[in-house]
Amino acid sequence: MTGGQIGNVDLVKQLNSAAVYRLIDQQGPISRIQVADVSNLAPASVTKITRQLLERGLIKEVAHQASTGGRRAISLTTECSPFHSIAVRLGRDVIEISLFDLSSKELARQSEAFSYASEAELVEGLMLRINQFLAANQSILKELIAIGVTLPGLIDPENGIVDYMPNIQVDKMELGQLVSEEFGVACFLGNDTRAQALAEHYFGVSKKYQDALLVSVHNGTGAGIIVNGQIFLGSNRNVGEIGHIQIDPLGDKCQCGNFGCLETVAANPAIIENVKKLLSQGTTVLLR
Ligand SMILES: [Zn+2]
């Protein structure tokens, strides 16, 4: 199929450009020759890709590296400040919006209570708040290139679809596409706990490790698994949904409809409820 082949060629080009950009981002300042060596791309391809990245203003040439004899090479590094992205953390009753540049420096942040009882309310409220945030930060805003949204539930990150949320009914909500159309930039959607695991891997405590497990106890209970430096999604994208593993068949009813899920015991509301119960029974609760 011709269309498919063209698609594949474009995809390969995109992946190669992304690989080169990533190398420059992570290992820069780095010379074109080093990029070709590490990426296993032909030097001519690296020259072409870096020219395109230079033209787009995504990378820049910097001072010469120390000479290793022969001709001195020019190094490349990423250009971070002219490009901005917005990160949204949507909780069950809160929304946090931040503005970042490409070096992941946070430039502005807004956090407020946000209740929504339906898919429509969620979408409307989210768009409104992002628009308000953009308006409030117009004076410092540079070129916006992407919006990332994390939220609780079962998310299909490849297609930007929300399949399940713990607090409202959703029907294959195409949130990624809606946000992308509203703001005219790419939108990346992800499960909050998995995104947190990825953030810890890129910037936090598990930075040094290729394999890591993050367990989060919040309004719910969830886990994010990093394998070989990549977030592990599993075939159903529900790996890490430990909150709904049944641990007590005679336990309390869970938001998901089942009984005795881990979340009915090990999540903030359940822990608070249990402490209150113990206190009312005269038990001394020791908090450490
Ligand atoms: Zn459950």
Side-chain angles (χ1 to χ4, degrees), residues 39-265:
S39 65
N40 284 324
L41 288 168
S45 300
V46 172
T47 303
K48 194 177 163 194
I49 292 170
T50 51
R51 188 170 59 231
Q52 289 166 344
L53 293 173
L54 278 165
E55 280 167 9
R56 185 66 182 84
L58 282 161
I59 59 170
K60 62 185 170 190
E61 292 182 329
V62 288
H64 297 114
Q65 280 183 316
S67 175
T68 48
R71 205 158 55 122
R72 290 199 298 176
I74 294 167
S75 293
L76 300 165
T77 185
T78 45
E79 185 74 273
C80 298
S81 54
F83 302 98
H84 286 176
S85 68
I86 282 182
V88 181
R89 187 181 78 84
L90 188 63
R92 297 187 200 200
D93 49 18
V94 70
I95 183 167
E96 277 178 12
I97 308 179
S98 288
L99 184 69
F100 289 95
D101 72 9
L102 278 190
S103 71
S104 68
K105 182 171 149 199
E106 193 179 44
L107 305 164
R109 175 200 284 246
Q110 176 184 309
S111 175
E112 62 179 299
F114 176 35
S115 311
Y116 47 94
S118 68
E119 198 176 310
E121 278 181 28
L122 184 160
V123 173
E124 197 186 328
L126 176 68
M127 302 298 188
L128 177 74
R129 281 163 179 82
I130 297 176
N131 269 313
Q132 285 171 343
F133 181 78
L134 284 171
N137 291 290
Q138 203 58 48
S139 62
I140 56 165
L141 188 68
K142 304 274 177 63
E143 183 182 344
L144 186 67
I145 53 163
I147 297 177
V149 182
T150 66
L151 63 172
L154 290 183
I155 318 293
D156 168 357
E158 281 104 6
N159 300 303
I161 292 172
V162 183
D163 286 317
Y164 165 84
M165 285 190 76
N167 46 338
I168 60 162
Q169 286 281 335
V170 291
D171 181 22
K172 294 215 170 297
M173 177 166 51
E174 294 181 330
L175 193 59
Q177 198 187 329
L178 291 171
V179 172
S180 182
E181 281 169 5
E182 171 80 11
F183 299 98
V185 294
C187 176
F188 299 93
L189 213 60
N191 167 275
D192 51 2
T193 307
R194 251 161 259 169
Q196 202 182 343
L198 202 55
E200 291 292 351
H201 174 68
Y202 282 140
F203 311 109
V205 290
S206 54
K207 203 174 167 181
K208 286 192 217 144
Y209 310 100
Q210 287 303 301
D211 307 300
L213 170 70
L214 176 136
V215 176
S216 169
V217 175
H218 44 276
N219 273 330
T221 317
I225 304 161
I226 300 288
V227 178
N228 273 335
Q230 305 262 327
I231 193 76
F232 183 49
L233 294 170
S235 54
N236 294 326
R237 303 185 193 89
N238 60 2
V239 173
E241 286 299 320
I242 57 170
H244 299 286
I245 294 172
Q246 192 181 51
I247 54 159
D248 179 6
L250 302 175
D252 294 335
K253 190 166 186 192
C254 178
Q255 290 189 73
C256 73
N258 284 340
F259 288 87
C261 294
L262 180 62
E263 231 174 72
T264 65
V265 182

